[in-house]
Amino acid sequence: YIKLTELYREFKNTLVTEHIREVASGKILIIDGVYINQEFIHPDMEQILITETLSHGLEEDLTYAVYHNILTNIDSNQINEILELQGFIKLPVDDQGHAVYGVDMRKTVSLMLNVKSFLKDPFNTNPKVMDVVNKSRKRMQKALTNLYPGSLVLAFNNNMLHHKLVKKICEANGVSNIPYTIKKSGEMMCVPFGNILQGKIVPNTVTKSLHTEKMFFPDLTGFKIGEYPNYASLNNQIKTIKSFDRPVILVDDLLHKGYRIKAVEPLFRRENISIQKTIVGILSGRGKELMDVRGRDVDGAYFIPNLRLWFNENLMYPFLGGDTVLRKGIEKHNLIQSINLILPYVAPAFISDTRGESIFDLSLICLENARDIMVTIENEYQKLYERTLTLGRLGEITISPRYPDKGYDLQYDFSKKPSVYITNDIYELIRIKKIIK
């Protein structure tokens, strides 16, 4: 960490120091280099390292980060690319010719990289599918950095998030995060009520998911939190949890505005279930304050003091994710009629203070990513099962099969490939390009 008064001693370049003084205030984080142990290669290791470092800086209330490689004479193109995908912009080189990158951390955009966790086996480990998912992620991250140039976009690896969450849950429950040889559970019960940890259990901890869903009204003027389609009502699910007769630890993906916790917490109180703690993947300053006002104990795997926007990768891709639309009697083939909060399905009003062109580009990239991923899955499905992956068979490749809402009396052909409809939506978006760009 350095102060503004120490900048010249670090960079020996007035162009660099002048730029940083214009955009930064308070303490500044300096990253001097990134090193990887080549004996333990992980495809996302550099991304994970940089995310963990910047997250630590956010928790320390730092407002600006600089990457200044002074430890080696070689600039890594891979590191530079990852930095740019986090929102870093290139500054003038220092007096030794070393590259300098900087990013504003005061208002952070988060991206949960979770689409792999929604794919079923064997597609969630298929090399070709994983390759196209990774390439798609880079395009999405680049589009997110263009929303607010120079501001931090923090991408969270889902496996790393799970690891940190499980560790915090086990610590709160007073048990090890490594399964015991002789089965023994802690006193408290883990209740995930978002997308995270769904279908998974926490070591040495009784785990029972509460299946909730964000449900939009057809005109998208509002939404409610209810039970996931085809599951028992929230009241009945919570009565089942009460039958375990244990205090609970609530677990969610993110806590910012608190819509989900506000919906489920009164139901637990009504059943006299003791909520010992709430643990979330990403905890914002606003979410922390919300729980402090309620006198609730809360913790997060990551803390972001000022969260501008948050995105879940799967929610951006039609047929691979989305939020339910409240329409009765239209569910077909166990598919959920949903909405993705991108163009052309909806004007994403939650993205504010940016150019319409950037929102258009983000929407187009999300549709193209969804198409590329789906085409790859369709090809691999054909090779594996020697039949076509149709919309009616979507449940064979994803744990939450969905299709975009088009309204009443507009029918999908469930014998067609999902990629056909994504391509149609791309054309539909391009048709309205001139009114936005």
Side-chain angles (χ1 to χ4, degrees):
Y1 310 141
I2 67 169
K3 299 177 182 178
L4 287 173
T5 55
E6 302 169 343
L7 289 177
Y8 185 76
R9 187 175 65 191
E10 172 74 22
F11 299 105
K12 300 290 192 302
N13 185 313
T14 55
L15 293 176
V16 175
T17 58
E18 183 179 348
H19 174 86
I20 295 176
R21 271 195 300 272
E22 287 179 358
V23 297
S25 61
K27 289 192 299 181
I28 299 169
L29 170 66
I30 302 288
I31 302 172
D32 290 332
V34 177
Y35 288 88
I36 307 297
N37 186 341
Q38 297 298 327
E39 294 181 8
F40 302 96
I41 298 299
H42 186 284
D44 299 323
M45 184 60 74
E46 290 88 351
Q47 172 71 74
I48 291 171
L49 274 176
I50 291 172
T51 296
E52 293 298 312
T53 303
L54 295 174
S55 299
H56 177 71
L58 287 171
E59 292 176 2
E60 297 291 326
D61 294 324
L62 302 180
T63 59
Y64 198 81
V66 179
Y67 175 75
H68 181 213
N69 178 21
I70 62 172
L71 301 180
T72 69
N73 292 321
I74 301 172
D75 284 327
S76 166
N77 292 331
Q78 185 176 5
I79 294 296
N80 293 345
E81 179 189 36
I82 292 172
L83 290 171
E84 290 173 355
L85 294 178
Q86 312 303 303
F88 281 77
I89 58 174
K90 195 167 186 178
L91 308 182
V93 297
D94 68 4
D95 65 323
Q96 300 296 321
H98 295 302
V100 182
Y101 290 82
V103 69
D104 189 347
M105 301 169 66
R106 286 173 293 187
K107 291 185 177 180
T108 302
V109 174
S110 76
L111 172 62
M112 193 88 74
L113 302 174
N114 64 349
V115 75
K116 294 179 183 178
S117 64
F118 283 84
L119 297 177
K120 289 183 176 179
D121 188 66
F123 303 101
N124 58 359
T125 56
N126 182 287
K128 290 185 178 179
V129 175
M130 293 302 97
D131 182 59
V132 73
V133 167
N134 291 331
K135 290 178 180 177
S136 298
R137 283 176 172 172
K138 291 183 179 181
R139 291 196 294 266
M140 180 186 283
Q141 286 179 260
K142 183 61 178 175
L144 290 176
T145 63
N146 291 333
L147 291 178
Y148 308 101
S151 289
L152 179 61
V153 176
L154 210 51
F156 294 97
N157 179 282
N158 210 46
N159 291 333
M160 192 69 184
L161 191 61
H162 279 182
H163 173 76
K164 297 186 75 169
L165 262 183
V166 166
K167 185 177 179 182
K168 284 186 175 290
I169 294 166
C170 291
E171 286 175 355
N173 202 16
V175 296
S176 170
N177 60 351
I178 300 174
Y180 297 132
T181 305
I182 301 175
K183 189 174 180 181
K184 178 185 176 183
S185 298
E187 177 188 354
M188 288 182 274
M189 176 180 181
C190 173
V191 180
F193 64 103
N195 288 323
I196 207 158
L197 295 184
Q198 289 283 7
K200 297 178 173 62
I201 60 172
V202 178
N204 312 310
T205 302
V206 177
T207 309
K208 177 71 175 73
S209 294
L210 178 65
H211 300 275
T212 63
E213 178 78 359
K214 190 176 187 179
M215 300 178 173
F216 280 93
F217 303 126
D219 59 3
L220 301 187
T221 55
F223 62 87
K224 71 174 188 176
I225 303 297
E227 62 277 0
Y228 188 87
N230 300 321
Y231 272 86
S233 67
L234 291 183
N235 283 328
N236 287 339
Q237 290 187 58
I238 290 174
K239 286 178 180 178
T240 302
I241 292 170
K242 179 179 174 62
S243 68
F244 285 81
D245 194 25
R246 290 172 178 265
V248 303
I249 301 171
L250 294 180
V251 180
D252 198 5
D253 310 56
L254 175 141
L255 181 55
H256 181 54
K257 295 184 178 180
Y259 296 125
R260 208 183 296 263
I261 190 71
K262 288 176 183 176
V264 304
E265 194 178 68
L267 302 180
F268 279 92
R269 285 204 305 267
R270 188 186 304 164
E271 296 295 331
N272 294 317
I273 300 174
S274 173
I275 301 175
Q276 294 293 307
K277 191 165 189 172
T278 301
I279 300 177
V280 297
I282 301 173
L283 177 64
S284 73
R286 178 175 176 175
K288 178 73 166 62
E289 187 176 279
L290 174 70
M291 299 301 279
D292 288 343
V293 169
R294 292 166 169 253
R296 295 293 186 184
D297 187 9
V298 65
D299 195 6
Y302 298 93
F303 179 67
I304 300 178
N306 194 355
L307 182 62
R308 189 201 298 260
L309 286 174
W310 65 97
F311 297 90
N312 284 348
E313 186 182 26
N314 73 303
L315 297 181
M316 307 293 283
Y317 293 158
F319 299 97
L320 294 171
D323 294 303
T324 297
V325 175
L326 283 167
R327 295 187 191 275
K328 292 186 177 180
I330 55 172
E331 200 168 300
K332 302 283 183 66
H333 296 268
N334 292 322
L335 303 184
I336 303 169
Q337 192 139 347
S338 304
I339 194 74
N340 304 91
L341 299 182
I342 57 172
L343 299 167
Y345 309 115
V346 61
F350 67 97
I351 306 176
S352 58
D353 302 325
T354 188
R355 300 176 308 142
E357 292 92 332
S358 299
I359 296 175
F360 177 92
D361 292 338
L362 173 63
S363 300
L364 182 60
I365 284 171
C366 289
L367 290 173
E368 290 174 343
N369 285 352
R371 177 201 60 197
D372 293 346
I373 293 170
M374 192 59 72
V375 166
T376 304
I377 293 175
E378 288 168 356
N379 292 338
E380 295 304 299
Y381 183 95
Q382 180 76 43
K383 293 178 185 176
L384 189 62
Y385 299 113
E386 296 184 349
R387 61 182 183 182
T388 302
L389 175 61
T390 63
L391 190 55
R393 294 170 178 158
L394 199 58
E396 297 180 28
I397 62 108
T398 176
I399 63 174
S400 183
R402 299 170 181 268
Y403 61 99
D405 172 70
K406 296 291 186 180
Y408 291 111
D409 298 323
L410 292 171
Q411 304 297 324
Y412 283 84
D413 184 343
F414 289 89
S415 65
K416 299 292 185 183
K417 295 180 179 181
S419 61
V420 171
Y421 290 103
I422 301 174
T423 302
N424 290 342
D425 290 337
I426 291 173
Y427 291 147
E428 185 176 341
L429 176 58
I430 292 173
R431 287 173 184 171
I432 62 173
K433 175 180 180 178
K434 288 189 176 181
I435 199 172
I436 300 167
K437 299 192 73 167

